[in-house]
Amino acid sequence: MGFFEKIKSGLTKTREAMNSTVGSLFMTFSGPDDDFFDELEESLILADLGVETAVKATDRLREHVKDERLKDAEQIRAALRGILVQMLQ
């Protein structure tokens, strides 16, 4: 297996883990409270994002949700997606 194939395989596993753990969190979404953000951070860590990245992403999302007064699960999911993409760039 070549270098790029290993990277692609690893990213595929991370994406699948994120879809599973974070997806289930949003399926049971009851509002953007402290418990939600704690569970999100844990889910991101379990999805192999790394502790530092998970904490930064969760903190940024928490601020964005507060600033924009987001309440809807889909809006918050889209904001998380945007934050993670921005962190990758």
Side-chain angles (χ1 to χ4, degrees), residues 27-88:
M27 290 180 74
T28 61
F29 180 79
S30 61
D33 57 11
D34 286 336
D35 289 337
F36 167 76
F37 288 109
D38 290 343
E39 288 183 45
L40 176 62
E41 187 175 291
E42 183 179 328
S43 294
L44 294 174
I45 292 168
L46 291 173
D48 289 334
L49 245 57
V51 174
E52 185 177 340
T53 303
V55 170
K56 284 182 182 179
T58 304
D59 288 346
R60 288 181 187 178
L61 180 63
R62 194 183 298 256
E63 285 298 314
H64 186 75
V65 166
K66 180 182 172 187
D67 292 345
E68 299 295 321
R69 296 186 177 125
L70 302 179
K71 302 284 185 203
D72 181 65
E74 286 307 312
Q75 291 175 324
I76 295 172
R77 181 187 292 232
L80 174 62
R81 188 177 306 119
I83 289 167
L84 292 174
V85 167
Q86 186 180 47
M87 290 176 76
L88 285 172

Side-chain angles (χ1 to χ4, degrees), residues 14-27 43 47:
T14 299
R15 185 183 73 239
E16 289 171 357
M18 280 191 57
N19 284 338
S20 175
T21 58
V22 175
S24 65
L25 176 62
F26 277 101
M27 290 180 74
S43 294

